[in-house]
Amino acid sequence: MSGLKPFRVIKQEIRVLGIDDGKFLPHTKGDVLVVGVVFRGGCFIDGIMHTKIAIDGLDATEKIASMIIGSPHRRQLRLVMLSGVTFGGFNIVDIKKLNSITELPVLVLTRDKPDLDAIHSALKNLTATEKRWQIILAAGEIYEVKNKGSKLYMELAGLSLADAQTILELTSTRSSFPEPLRVAHLIASGITS
Amino acid sequence: MSGLKPFRVIKQEIRVLGIDDGKFLPHTKGDVLVVGVVFRGGCFIDGIMHTKIAIDGLDATEKIASMIIGSPHRRQLRLVMLSGVTFGGFNIVDIKKLNSITELPVLVLTRDKPDLDAIHSALKNLTATEKRWQIILAAGEIYEVKNKGSKLYMELAGLSLADAQTILELTSTRSSFPEPLRVAHLIASGITS
């Protein structure tokens, strides 16, 4: 993995940015809200940022990177967590690119194992099928992990599996899903529903 | 105070709804986002709701009441906290009415003492001056309280000063301002700036 930097130390209150998208009507044109929540470990919220991306568009990586880079929280952040790599339908985040632009490690987490065959089929109904597929593949290996008794699936860019597991445990204070992502989901869906 | 119901018991994880408004361009026409955050005590977020009110309009009480009544969290809520009574400029919440419609006690909190003379003057530049002024007055007595070393100002509808102070202390886990309002502010302003 290029650009992998082991954490020297993982603080209890490590600043983690959790990112999730809001609700939208699939197969429509338009934008969807993407919310970033700055969490201190699994404890409390330090800030909120947001951007908008095109439904089924190709701008998720760039828009999310710009949101992070333009934020006053940027220098305090140590990790970016994403709820999957597909946002706003099939606007897919290139996690290697996000890692290299922001210089922050990226941890992608899902409750279900990404079904690559189903994704590949769905992409055939969209423009830029091959480009989107390559971004999906660029996320690399899918790791199955156990967290508080639940199976979860991770993809990583710029951090080791051991560090990812440590941070996952540290930030999962209320459920088997880490607080930055649990709360990003509550906010993004709460604001758009 | 009519409808004052003392709390039989105030649980550590009492569900409190904190409400704040987003950013907007003053003196313009349009809507402003109002966010409600369901907090368990001063601990963690249980949910998010939102509504939109007119800038300098007269619909804040009704829109916020509808947001609460229409929420799946309604039955778990024990208290509503507001960051002041003016939202979206001078769209003023009638806290007695909000208390009677929602059947929930309302606690208004500000860092600065409301300057009634300045508010009265400002209202003269708006429609429905007298109506707005009566809503301001309807909030009743302004209590000065100390919380974690900071002076704060409260107005109350449907709960006692003693209960209000207990809940204020209980929910102020990160600063001298209660978490439901601190986080409502972060979200509402973070989504609209």
Side-chain angles (χ1 to χ4, degrees):
Chain A
M1 202 181 291
S2 80
L4 191 161
K5 285 187 214 155
F7 281 85
R8 271 185 308 140
V9 56
I10 295 173
K11 291 187 191 165
Q12 199 68 27
E13 295 204 343
I14 179 176
R15 255 81 150 200
V16 173
L17 181 71
I19 298 178
D20 204 353
D21 58 353
K23 294 183 182 172
F24 61 95
L25 213 55
H27 307 296
T28 56
K29 295 218 175 230
D31 289 335
V32 57
L33 179 71
V34 171
V35 171
V37 182
V38 183
F39 242 88
R40 295 241 207 142
C43 290
F44 64 99
I45 297 181
D46 237 14
I48 303 283
M49 55 187 86
H50 79 285
T51 187
K52 285 183 176 176
I53 65 170
I55 296 170
D56 291 330
L58 292 158
D59 60 354
T61 310
E62 178 200 325
K63 289 287 186 66
I64 290 173
S66 301
M67 172 181 82
I68 296 169
I69 287 172
S71 157
H73 295 279
R74 182 195 183 183
R75 287 180 171 279
Q76 277 74 49
L77 292 174
R78 294 293 169 265
L79 179 81
V80 176
M81 279 189 187
L82 305 178
S83 264
V85 294
T86 59
F87 287 79
F90 281 106
N91 200 336
I92 307 159
V93 177
D94 183 331
I95 64 170
K96 297 286 193 298
K97 206 165 168 180
L98 186 62
N99 168 225
S100 91
I101 300 174
T102 63
E103 295 176 3
L104 289 168
V106 178
L107 189 167
V108 178
L109 198 68
T110 53
R111 285 197 179 83
D112 299 312
K113 186 170 183 174
D115 182 343
L116 293 182
D117 289 343
I119 292 169
H120 201 182
S121 289
L123 290 183
K124 289 174 185 160
N125 302 316
L126 290 159
T127 61
T129 300
E130 189 54 27
K131 185 176 177 179
R132 293 179 207 260
W133 181 237
Q134 290 308 319
I135 302 175
I136 291 280
L137 294 181
E141 189 167 350
I142 299 169
Y143 301 96
E144 182 181 305
V145 290
K146 274 240 173 182
N147 191 34
K148 299 200 161 191
S150 294
K151 266 190 202 172
L152 296 172
Y153 298 88
M154 290 201 304
E155 294 162 300
L156 304 172
L159 81 166
S160 70
L161 180 58
D163 283 346
Q165 280 185 299
T166 302
I167 296 169
L168 184 60
E169 269 173 47
L170 177 70
T171 55
S172 300
T173 49
R174 296 290 160 190
S175 69
S176 61
F177 220 62
E179 280 297 280
L181 289 182
R182 188 184 72 84
V183 170
H185 173 73
L186 283 178
I187 296 173
S189 58
I191 293 290
T192 51
S193 62
Chain B
M1 198 182 291
S2 79
L4 192 159
K5 285 187 214 157
F7 280 86
R8 272 184 308 141
V9 57
I10 295 174
K11 290 187 190 164
Q12 199 67 27
E13 294 204 343
I14 180 177
R15 256 79 149 203
V16 173
L17 181 70
I19 298 179
D20 204 353
D21 57 354
K23 295 183 182 173
F24 60 96
L25 214 54
H27 308 296
T28 55
K29 296 216 175 233
D31 289 335
V32 57
L33 180 71
V34 172
V35 171
V37 183
V38 182
F39 241 88
R40 297 240 205 141
C43 290
F44 64 100
I45 297 180
D46 237 14
I48 303 283
M49 55 187 86
H50 79 286
T51 186
K52 284 183 177 177
I53 64 170
I55 295 170
D56 291 330
L58 292 158
D59 59 354
T61 309
E62 177 200 325
K63 289 289 186 66
I64 290 173
S66 301
M67 171 180 82
I68 295 169
I69 287 171
S71 158
H73 296 279
R74 182 194 184 185
R75 287 180 172 280
Q76 277 73 49
L77 292 174
R78 293 294 169 263
L79 179 81
V80 176
M81 280 190 186
L82 305 179
S83 265
V85 293
T86 59
F87 287 78
F90 281 104
N91 200 336
I92 307 161
V93 177
D94 183 333
I95 63 169
K96 297 285 193 297
K97 205 165 169 180
L98 186 62
N99 169 225
S100 92
I101 300 173
T102 62
E103 296 175 4
L104 289 168
V106 178
L107 189 168
V108 177
L109 199 68
T110 53
R111 286 198 178 82
D112 299 313
K113 186 170 182 174
D115 183 343
L116 293 182
D117 288 343
I119 292 170
H120 201 182
S121 289
L123 290 183
K124 289 174 185 159
N125 302 316
L126 289 160
T127 62
T129 300
E130 190 53 28
K131 184 174 178 180
R132 292 179 208 260
W133 181 237
Q134 291 307 319
I135 302 174
I136 290 281
L137 294 181
E141 188 167 353
I142 299 169
Y143 301 95
E144 183 180 305
V145 290
K146 274 239 174 183
N147 192 33
K148 301 202 160 189
S150 294
K151 267 191 200 168
L152 296 172
Y153 297 88
M154 289 201 306
E155 294 162 300
L156 304 173
L159 80 164
S160 70
L161 181 57
D163 282 347
Q165 280 185 301
T166 302
I167 295 169
L168 184 60
E169 268 174 47
L170 178 70
T171 54
S172 300
T173 48
R174 296 290 161 190
S175 68
S176 61
F177 221 62
E179 280 297 280
L181 290 182
R182 189 184 72 83
V183 170
H185 173 74
L186 284 178
I187 296 173
S189 60
I191 294 291
T192 51
S193 60

Short mmCIF file of all heavy atoms in Angstrom, two decimals, chain B residues 88-143:
data_model
loop_
_atom_site.label_atom_id
_atom_site.label_comp_id
_atom_site.label_asym_id
_atom_site.label_seq_id
_atom_site.Cartn_x
_atom_site.Cartn_y
_atom_site.Cartn_z
N GLY B 88 -33.92 32.84 12.98
CA GLY B 88 -34.03 33.43 11.64
C GLY B 88 -34.31 34.92 11.70
O GLY B 88 -35.24 35.40 11.08
N GLY B 89 -33.49 35.63 12.48
CA GLY B 89 -33.69 37.06 12.64
C GLY B 89 -34.67 37.31 13.77
O GLY B 89 -34.36 37.03 14.92
N PHE B 90 -35.86 37.80 13.45
CA PHE B 90 -36.86 38.07 14.49
C PHE B 90 -38.12 37.24 14.35
O PHE B 90 -39.22 37.72 14.56
CB PHE B 90 -37.17 39.57 14.57
CG PHE B 90 -36.11 40.33 15.31
CD1 PHE B 90 -35.19 41.12 14.63
CD2 PHE B 90 -36.01 40.23 16.69
CE1 PHE B 90 -34.20 41.80 15.32
CE2 PHE B 90 -35.02 40.91 17.38
CZ PHE B 90 -34.11 41.70 16.70
N ASN B 91 -37.94 36.00 13.95
CA ASN B 91 -39.03 35.02 13.95
C ASN B 91 -39.03 34.43 15.36
O ASN B 91 -38.18 33.60 15.70
CB ASN B 91 -38.75 33.96 12.89
CG ASN B 91 -40.00 33.21 12.47
OD1 ASN B 91 -40.96 33.14 13.22
ND2 ASN B 91 -39.96 32.65 11.27
N ILE B 92 -39.95 34.89 16.19
CA ILE B 92 -39.83 34.65 17.63
C ILE B 92 -40.69 33.47 18.09
O ILE B 92 -41.85 33.34 17.70
CB ILE B 92 -40.23 35.93 18.41
CG1 ILE B 92 -39.40 37.12 17.88
CG2 ILE B 92 -39.98 35.76 19.90
CD1 ILE B 92 -40.00 38.45 18.22
N VAL B 93 -40.09 32.64 18.93
CA VAL B 93 -40.81 31.48 19.46
C VAL B 93 -41.58 31.88 20.72
O VAL B 93 -41.00 32.43 21.66
CB VAL B 93 -39.84 30.33 19.80
CG1 VAL B 93 -40.60 29.16 20.42
CG2 VAL B 93 -39.11 29.87 18.54
N ASP B 94 -42.86 31.60 20.70
CA ASP B 94 -43.71 31.79 21.88
C ASP B 94 -43.56 30.54 22.73
O ASP B 94 -44.14 29.48 22.44
CB ASP B 94 -45.17 31.98 21.42
CG ASP B 94 -46.10 32.26 22.59
OD1 ASP B 94 -45.79 31.83 23.72
OD2 ASP B 94 -47.14 32.90 22.36
N ILE B 95 -42.75 30.64 23.78
CA ILE B 95 -42.39 29.42 24.52
C ILE B 95 -43.56 28.86 25.33
O ILE B 95 -43.64 27.65 25.54
CB ILE B 95 -41.12 29.59 25.39
CG1 ILE B 95 -41.30 30.63 26.50
CG2 ILE B 95 -39.92 29.92 24.53
CD1 ILE B 95 -40.14 30.62 27.53
N LYS B 96 -44.46 29.72 25.75
CA LYS B 96 -45.66 29.23 26.46
C LYS B 96 -46.51 28.38 25.51
O LYS B 96 -47.03 27.33 25.86
CB LYS B 96 -46.49 30.39 27.00
CG LYS B 96 -45.79 31.26 28.02
CD LYS B 96 -45.70 30.58 29.40
CE LYS B 96 -45.30 31.55 30.50
NZ LYS B 96 -43.95 32.13 30.31
N LYS B 97 -46.65 28.89 24.29
CA LYS B 97 -47.44 28.19 23.28
C LYS B 97 -46.75 26.88 22.86
O LYS B 97 -47.39 25.84 22.71
CB LYS B 97 -47.61 29.11 22.07
CG LYS B 97 -48.81 28.85 21.23
CD LYS B 97 -49.02 30.05 20.32
CE LYS B 97 -50.05 29.79 19.23
NZ LYS B 97 -50.20 30.99 18.39
N LEU B 98 -45.43 26.95 22.69
CA LEU B 98 -44.67 25.75 22.32
C LEU B 98 -44.83 24.69 23.41
O LEU B 98 -45.03 23.50 23.11
CB LEU B 98 -43.19 26.10 22.13
CG LEU B 98 -42.29 24.99 21.60
CD1 LEU B 98 -42.72 24.54 20.20
CD2 LEU B 98 -40.82 25.43 21.56
N ASN B 99 -44.77 25.12 24.65
CA ASN B 99 -44.97 24.22 25.80
C ASN B 99 -46.37 23.62 25.76
O ASN B 99 -46.54 22.41 25.94
CB ASN B 99 -44.74 25.03 27.09
CG ASN B 99 -45.17 24.31 28.36
OD1 ASN B 99 -45.81 24.88 29.22
ND2 ASN B 99 -44.83 23.03 28.48
N SER B 100 -47.37 24.45 25.47
CA SER B 100 -48.74 23.90 25.53
C SER B 100 -49.05 23.01 24.33
O SER B 100 -49.72 22.00 24.46
CB SER B 100 -49.77 25.03 25.73
OG SER B 100 -50.24 25.50 24.51
N ILE B 101 -48.53 23.34 23.15
CA ILE B 101 -48.78 22.49 21.98
C ILE B 101 -48.05 21.14 22.11
O ILE B 101 -48.61 20.09 21.84
CB ILE B 101 -48.33 23.17 20.66
CG1 ILE B 101 -49.07 24.48 20.42
CG2 ILE B 101 -48.56 22.23 19.46
CD1 ILE B 101 -48.55 25.27 19.21
N THR B 102 -46.79 21.18 22.51
CA THR B 102 -45.99 19.95 22.53
C THR B 102 -46.13 19.18 23.84
O THR B 102 -45.70 18.02 23.92
CB THR B 102 -44.48 20.25 22.34
OG1 THR B 102 -44.04 21.06 23.45
CG2 THR B 102 -44.22 20.99 21.04
N GLU B 103 -46.68 19.84 24.87
CA GLU B 103 -46.76 19.24 26.20
C GLU B 103 -45.37 18.90 26.76
O GLU B 103 -45.21 17.97 27.56
CB GLU B 103 -47.68 18.01 26.23
CG GLU B 103 -49.12 18.38 25.90
CD GLU B 103 -50.05 17.19 25.79
OE1 GLU B 103 -49.61 16.06 26.04
OE2 GLU B 103 -51.22 17.39 25.45
N LEU B 104 -44.38 19.64 26.30
CA LEU B 104 -43.02 19.47 26.82
C LEU B 104 -42.56 20.79 27.44
O LEU B 104 -42.84 21.86 26.89
CB LEU B 104 -42.05 19.12 25.69
CG LEU B 104 -42.19 17.72 25.09
CD1 LEU B 104 -41.37 17.62 23.81
CD2 LEU B 104 -41.74 16.68 26.11
N PRO B 105 -41.85 20.71 28.56
CA PRO B 105 -41.29 21.94 29.12
C PRO B 105 -40.24 22.53 28.18
O PRO B 105 -39.58 21.80 27.43
CB PRO B 105 -40.66 21.48 30.44
CG PRO B 105 -40.54 20.00 30.35
CD PRO B 105 -41.56 19.52 29.38
N VAL B 106 -40.13 23.85 28.23
CA VAL B 106 -39.20 24.55 27.33
C VAL B 106 -38.22 25.37 28.17
O VAL B 106 -38.63 26.13 29.05
CB VAL B 106 -39.97 25.49 26.36
CG1 VAL B 106 -39.00 26.25 25.46
CG2 VAL B 106 -40.98 24.69 25.53
N LEU B 107 -36.94 25.20 27.87
CA LEU B 107 -35.88 25.94 28.56
C LEU B 107 -35.13 26.75 27.51
O LEU B 107 -34.57 26.20 26.57
CB LEU B 107 -34.95 24.94 29.26
CG LEU B 107 -33.87 25.43 30.21
CD1 LEU B 107 -33.28 24.25 31.00
CD2 LEU B 107 -32.74 26.18 29.54
N VAL B 108 -35.16 28.07 27.66
CA VAL B 108 -34.44 28.96 26.73
C VAL B 108 -33.15 29.38 27.40
O VAL B 108 -33.16 29.78 28.57
CB VAL B 108 -35.28 30.21 26.42
CG1 VAL B 108 -34.51 31.16 25.51
CG2 VAL B 108 -36.62 29.82 25.81
N LEU B 109 -32.06 29.30 26.67
CA LEU B 109 -30.76 29.64 27.27
C LEU B 109 -30.00 30.60 26.36
O LEU B 109 -29.98 30.42 25.14
CB LEU B 109 -29.95 28.35 27.46
CG LEU B 109 -28.79 28.41 28.44
CD1 LEU B 109 -29.29 28.58 29.87
CD2 LEU B 109 -27.94 27.15 28.33
N THR B 110 -29.40 31.62 26.98
CA THR B 110 -28.52 32.53 26.23
C THR B 110 -27.29 32.84 27.07
O THR B 110 -27.34 32.77 28.29
CB THR B 110 -29.24 33.86 25.86
OG1 THR B 110 -29.79 34.43 27.06
CG2 THR B 110 -30.35 33.64 24.87
N ARG B 111 -26.22 33.18 26.37
CA ARG B 111 -24.99 33.55 27.08
C ARG B 111 -25.06 35.01 27.54
O ARG B 111 -24.50 35.37 28.56
CB ARG B 111 -23.76 33.35 26.18
CG ARG B 111 -23.40 31.89 25.99
CD ARG B 111 -21.97 31.74 25.48
NE ARG B 111 -21.63 30.33 25.36
CZ ARG B 111 -21.96 29.58 24.31
NH1 ARG B 111 -22.62 30.10 23.28
NH2 ARG B 111 -21.63 28.29 24.28
N ASP B 112 -25.72 35.83 26.72
CA ASP B 112 -25.87 37.24 27.10
C ASP B 112 -27.29 37.50 27.57
O ASP B 112 -28.24 36.84 27.11
CB ASP B 112 -25.56 38.14 25.89
CG ASP B 112 -24.14 37.94 25.40
OD1 ASP B 112 -23.23 37.95 26.25
OD2 ASP B 112 -23.95 37.75 24.19
N LYS B 113 -27.42 38.45 28.47
CA LYS B 113 -28.76 38.79 28.95
C LYS B 113 -29.54 39.45 27.81
O LYS B 113 -29.04 40.39 27.18
CB LYS B 113 -28.63 39.77 30.12
CG LYS B 113 -29.97 40.06 30.77
CD LYS B 113 -29.81 40.83 32.07
CE LYS B 113 -31.19 41.03 32.69
NZ LYS B 113 -31.11 41.63 34.03
N PRO B 114 -30.74 38.95 27.51
CA PRO B 114 -31.52 39.56 26.43
C PRO B 114 -31.72 41.06 26.71
O PRO B 114 -32.14 41.44 27.80
CB PRO B 114 -32.85 38.80 26.50
CG PRO B 114 -32.52 37.49 27.12
CD PRO B 114 -31.41 37.78 28.09
N ASP B 115 -31.38 41.91 25.75
CA ASP B 115 -31.49 43.36 25.89
C ASP B 115 -32.86 43.78 25.35
O ASP B 115 -33.02 44.04 24.16
CB ASP B 115 -30.34 44.03 25.12
CG ASP B 115 -30.35 45.54 25.26
OD1 ASP B 115 -31.39 46.10 25.68
OD2 ASP B 115 -29.32 46.16 24.96
N LEU B 116 -33.82 43.83 26.25
CA LEU B 116 -35.21 44.04 25.82
C LEU B 116 -35.40 45.40 25.15
O LEU B 116 -36.16 45.52 24.19
CB LEU B 116 -36.16 43.87 27.01
CG LEU B 116 -36.25 42.44 27.57
CD1 LEU B 116 -37.26 42.36 28.71
CD2 LEU B 116 -36.61 41.42 26.48
N ASP B 117 -34.68 46.41 25.62
CA ASP B 117 -34.81 47.74 24.98
C ASP B 117 -34.33 47.68 23.53
O ASP B 117 -34.98 48.21 22.63
CB ASP B 117 -33.98 48.78 25.75
CG ASP B 117 -34.63 49.11 27.10
OD1 ASP B 117 -35.83 48.80 27.27
OD2 ASP B 117 -33.93 49.67 27.97
N ALA B 118 -33.19 47.05 23.31
CA ALA B 118 -32.64 46.95 21.95
C ALA B 118 -33.58 46.14 21.05
O ALA B 118 -33.79 46.48 19.88
CB ALA B 118 -31.25 46.31 21.99
N ILE B 119 -34.14 45.07 21.62
CA ILE B 119 -35.06 44.23 20.85
C ILE B 119 -36.30 45.04 20.48
O ILE B 119 -36.75 45.05 19.33
CB ILE B 119 -35.46 42.96 21.65
CG1 ILE B 119 -34.24 42.03 21.80
CG2 ILE B 119 -36.62 42.23 20.98
CD1 ILE B 119 -34.45 40.87 22.76
N HIS B 120 -36.83 45.77 21.47
CA HIS B 120 -38.03 46.58 21.22
C HIS B 120 -37.78 47.58 20.09
O HIS B 120 -38.61 47.76 19.20
CB HIS B 120 -38.45 47.30 22.51
CG HIS B 120 -39.88 47.73 22.50
ND1 HIS B 120 -40.47 48.42 23.52
CD2 HIS B 120 -40.86 47.58 21.56
CE1 HIS B 120 -41.73 48.67 23.23
NE2 HIS B 120 -41.98 48.16 22.05
N SER B 121 -36.63 48.22 20.11
CA SER B 121 -36.28 49.17 19.04
C SER B 121 -36.21 48.48 17.69
O SER B 121 -36.74 48.96 16.69
CB SER B 121 -34.91 49.80 19.31
OG SER B 121 -34.99 50.68 20.39
N ALA B 122 -35.52 47.35 17.65
CA ALA B 122 -35.34 46.62 16.38
C ALA B 122 -36.68 46.19 15.80
O ALA B 122 -36.89 46.24 14.58
CB ALA B 122 -34.45 45.40 16.60
N LEU B 123 -37.60 45.79 16.68
CA LEU B 123 -38.90 45.30 16.22
C LEU B 123 -39.68 46.38 15.47
O LEU B 123 -40.55 46.07 14.66
CB LEU B 123 -39.73 44.79 17.40
CG LEU B 123 -39.24 43.49 18.05
CD1 LEU B 123 -40.19 43.06 19.16
CD2 LEU B 123 -39.10 42.37 17.02
N LYS B 124 -39.37 47.64 15.76
CA LYS B 124 -40.08 48.75 15.08
C LYS B 124 -39.79 48.80 13.58
O LYS B 124 -40.52 49.44 12.83
CB LYS B 124 -39.73 50.07 15.77
CG LYS B 124 -40.38 50.17 17.15
CD LYS B 124 -39.95 51.40 17.93
CE LYS B 124 -40.57 51.33 19.34
NZ LYS B 124 -39.85 52.18 20.30
N ASN B 125 -38.71 48.14 13.18
CA ASN B 125 -38.38 48.10 11.75
C ASN B 125 -39.03 46.92 11.02
O ASN B 125 -38.77 46.69 9.85
CB ASN B 125 -36.86 48.00 11.57
CG ASN B 125 -36.15 49.16 12.24
OD1 ASN B 125 -36.58 50.30 12.11
ND2 ASN B 125 -35.08 48.86 12.97
N LEU B 126 -39.87 46.19 11.75
CA LEU B 126 -40.49 45.00 11.17
C LEU B 126 -42.01 45.12 11.18
O LEU B 126 -42.57 45.93 11.94
CB LEU B 126 -40.10 43.77 12.01
CG LEU B 126 -38.65 43.32 11.89
CD1 LEU B 126 -38.25 42.45 13.07
CD2 LEU B 126 -38.45 42.54 10.59
N THR B 127 -42.66 44.31 10.37
CA THR B 127 -44.12 44.19 10.44
C THR B 127 -44.50 43.57 11.79
O THR B 127 -43.64 42.97 12.45
CB THR B 127 -44.66 43.25 9.34
OG1 THR B 127 -44.09 41.96 9.56
CG2 THR B 127 -44.31 43.76 7.95
N ALA B 128 -45.74 43.67 12.15
CA ALA B 128 -46.27 43.01 13.35
C ALA B 128 -45.45 43.29 14.60
O ALA B 128 -45.22 42.40 15.42
CB ALA B 128 -46.38 41.50 13.10
N THR B 129 -45.00 44.53 14.72
CA THR B 129 -44.15 44.92 15.85
C THR B 129 -44.77 44.53 17.19
O THR B 129 -44.11 43.89 18.02
CB THR B 129 -43.93 46.45 15.84
OG1 THR B 129 -43.29 46.80 14.62
CG2 THR B 129 -43.08 46.89 17.02
N GLU B 130 -46.02 44.91 17.39
CA GLU B 130 -46.64 44.68 18.70
C GLU B 130 -46.83 43.19 18.99
O GLU B 130 -46.59 42.71 20.10
CB GLU B 130 -47.99 45.42 18.76
CG GLU B 130 -48.61 45.47 20.15
CD GLU B 130 -47.68 46.02 21.25
OE1 GLU B 130 -46.78 46.83 20.93
OE2 GLU B 130 -47.83 45.60 22.42
N LYS B 131 -47.20 42.45 17.95
CA LYS B 131 -47.37 41.00 18.10
C LYS B 131 -46.04 40.34 18.52
O LYS B 131 -45.99 39.52 19.44
CB LYS B 131 -47.85 40.41 16.77
CG LYS B 131 -48.16 38.93 16.83
CD LYS B 131 -48.77 38.42 15.55
CE LYS B 131 -49.01 36.91 15.65
NZ LYS B 131 -49.60 36.36 14.43
N ARG B 132 -44.98 40.74 17.83
CA ARG B 132 -43.67 40.16 18.16
C ARG B 132 -43.25 40.54 19.59
O ARG B 132 -42.71 39.72 20.33
CB ARG B 132 -42.61 40.66 17.17
CG ARG B 132 -42.81 40.14 15.74
CD ARG B 132 -41.72 40.71 14.82
NE ARG B 132 -42.17 40.81 13.44
CZ ARG B 132 -41.88 39.93 12.48
NH1 ARG B 132 -41.13 38.90 12.73
NH2 ARG B 132 -42.33 40.12 11.25
N TRP B 133 -43.51 41.79 19.95
CA TRP B 133 -43.12 42.26 21.28
C TRP B 133 -43.87 41.49 22.37
O TRP B 133 -43.30 41.13 23.39
CB TRP B 133 -43.39 43.77 21.38
CG TRP B 133 -43.01 44.38 22.69
CD1 TRP B 133 -43.83 45.08 23.53
CD2 TRP B 133 -41.72 44.36 23.33
NE1 TRP B 133 -43.14 45.49 24.65
CE2 TRP B 133 -41.85 45.06 24.55
CE3 TRP B 133 -40.48 43.80 22.99
CZ2 TRP B 133 -40.78 45.23 25.43
CZ3 TRP B 133 -39.42 43.97 23.88
CH2 TRP B 133 -39.57 44.66 25.08
N GLN B 134 -45.12 41.20 22.12
CA GLN B 134 -45.89 40.43 23.10
C GLN B 134 -45.35 39.01 23.25
O GLN B 134 -45.37 38.44 24.35
CB GLN B 134 -47.39 40.40 22.73
CG GLN B 134 -48.10 41.76 22.88
CD GLN B 134 -47.91 42.40 24.27
OE1 GLN B 134 -47.96 41.72 25.29
NE2 GLN B 134 -47.65 43.71 24.29
N ILE B 135 -44.88 38.45 22.14
CA ILE B 135 -44.29 37.09 22.22
C ILE B 135 -42.99 37.12 23.04
O ILE B 135 -42.73 36.23 23.84
CB ILE B 135 -44.03 36.49 20.81
CG1 ILE B 135 -45.34 36.45 20.00
CG2 ILE B 135 -43.44 35.09 20.92
CD1 ILE B 135 -45.14 36.00 18.55
N ILE B 136 -42.21 38.17 22.82
CA ILE B 136 -40.98 38.34 23.62
C ILE B 136 -41.35 38.41 25.11
O ILE B 136 -40.76 37.71 25.94
CB ILE B 136 -40.24 39.65 23.21
CG1 ILE B 136 -39.63 39.54 21.81
CG2 ILE B 136 -39.17 40.02 24.25
CD1 ILE B 136 -38.33 38.79 21.73
N LEU B 137 -42.32 39.24 25.43
CA LEU B 137 -42.71 39.41 26.84
C LEU B 137 -43.30 38.13 27.43
O LEU B 137 -43.12 37.83 28.61
CB LEU B 137 -43.70 40.57 26.99
CG LEU B 137 -43.17 41.96 26.65
CD1 LEU B 137 -44.26 43.01 26.86
CD2 LEU B 137 -41.93 42.30 27.48
N ALA B 138 -44.00 37.38 26.58
CA ALA B 138 -44.65 36.15 27.05
C ALA B 138 -43.64 35.13 27.57
O ALA B 138 -44.00 34.21 28.31
CB ALA B 138 -45.49 35.53 25.93
N ALA B 139 -42.38 35.27 27.19
CA ALA B 139 -41.36 34.34 27.67
C ALA B 139 -41.17 34.47 29.18
O ALA B 139 -40.65 33.58 29.84
CB ALA B 139 -40.03 34.56 26.94
N GLY B 140 -41.61 35.61 29.72
CA GLY B 140 -41.62 35.75 31.18
C GLY B 140 -40.27 36.10 31.77
O GLY B 140 -39.39 36.63 31.09
N GLU B 141 -40.14 35.76 33.04
CA GLU B 141 -38.96 36.18 33.80
C GLU B 141 -37.65 35.65 33.20
O GLU B 141 -37.59 34.51 32.71
CB GLU B 141 -39.10 35.66 35.25
CG GLU B 141 -38.02 36.20 36.17
CD GLU B 141 -38.34 35.96 37.65
OE1 GLU B 141 -39.47 35.49 37.94
OE2 GLU B 141 -37.47 36.23 38.48
N ILE B 142 -36.64 36.49 33.24
CA ILE B 142 -35.29 36.08 32.81
C ILE B 142 -34.48 35.78 34.07
O ILE B 142 -34.28 36.65 34.92
CB ILE B 142 -34.61 37.20 31.99
CG1 ILE B 142 -35.42 37.50 30.72
CG2 ILE B 142 -33.18 36.80 31.63
CD1 ILE B 142 -34.99 38.76 29.98
N TYR B 143 -34.03 34.52 34.18
CA TYR B 143 -33.27 34.11 35.36
C TYR B 143 -31.77 34.11 35.03
O TYR B 143 -31.36 33.58 34.00
CB TYR B 143 -33.64 32.68 35.77
CG TYR B 143 -35.10 32.49 36.11
CD1 TYR B 143 -36.00 32.03 35.14
CD2 TYR B 143 -35.60 32.79 37.37
CE1 TYR B 143 -37.34 31.86 35.43
CE2 TYR B 143 -36.94 32.61 37.68
CZ TYR B 143 -37.80 32.15 36.71
OH TYR B 143 -39.14 31.98 37.00
#
